Amino acid sequence: PAVAELTIGLIFSLLRSIHLSSSQLHKGHWNRIFGRRLSEITLGVIGLGRIGSRVIRRTKPFGTPRLLVNDIDPSKGSDMDFKLEWSSKEKIYKEADIICIHLPLTRHTFNLIGEKELLSMKKDAAIINVSRGGIINEHDLFKVLNSGHLSGAAIDVFEKEPYDGNLSEIE
């Protein structure tokens, strides 16, 4: 439950730029950022196990977004009272406003998301990884974010921890 709740918090932070507003305010800058509502976005969930399904369930009180989901086991989520759109990862990359990664780290998921996948996402999309470091290629993520493609990323797991890479240079 804690990871699902963290994911929901990160979704709101990315949708409303809470972290940027706070940082700017502390630097003496007053910029109102209105953001977006959860019910008006497309949420992509890759990995519909315990955590991915809990994230989806926790969206209900806020007005459930359009849900694009992907999992190795398409029977997952059949007990959920949500309209799930089973999709390829490529469709999720292309159409989701926020993508949440909830996967184990395996030889199949290591560097699953690199520059090609990140650039296939909408320019104003954001990505969240709270599952395992190494699933998103950190060098590619830095390069794509630094270029201005993607509105943000929320990462609390890294390939090597404690983290000391160049992603920390990006607000």
Side-chain angles (χ1 to χ4, degrees), residues 6-22 33 35-36 98 126 128 151-154 171:
L6 171 62
T7 303
I8 292 294
L10 294 172
I11 289 170
F12 283 119
S13 183
L14 289 167
L15 285 175
R16 299 291 180 150
S17 298
I18 295 167
H19 55 294
L20 294 175
S21 294
S22 176
I33 302 172
R36 300 164 66 187
I98 294 188
I128 297 171
S151 65
E171 203 172 15

Side-chain angles (χ1 to χ4, degrees), residues 139-151:
H139 173 73
D140 291 351
L141 180 60
F142 173 78
K143 186 174 167 183
V144 169
L145 285 169
N146 209 33
S147 76
H149 191 81
L150 300 182
S151 65

Side-chain angles (χ1 to χ4, degrees), residues 23-38:
S23 174
Q24 290 173 2
L25 179 66
H26 288 320
K27 292 176 184 174
H29 303 288
W30 177 259
N31 295 318
R32 278 191 79 137
I33 302 172
F34 291 98
R36 300 164 66 187
R37 294 178 54 203
L38 181 62

Side-chain angles (χ1 to χ4, degrees), residues 43-63:
L43 178 64
V45 179
I46 299 176
L48 201 60
R50 284 187 330 258
I51 296 170
S53 59
R54 286 176 176 160
V55 167
I56 290 172
R57 285 185 180 97
R58 282 163 173 75
T59 65
K60 195 169 190 171
F62 305 102

Side-chain angles (χ1 to χ4, degrees), residues 4-6 20 25 62 66 70 79 95 105 125 132 134 167:
E5 291 169 4
L6 171 62
L20 294 175
L25 179 66
F62 305 102
R66 175 180 176 216
N70 180 281
D79 63 333
E95 296 183 21
L105 182 61
R132 294 289 181 256
L167 282 171

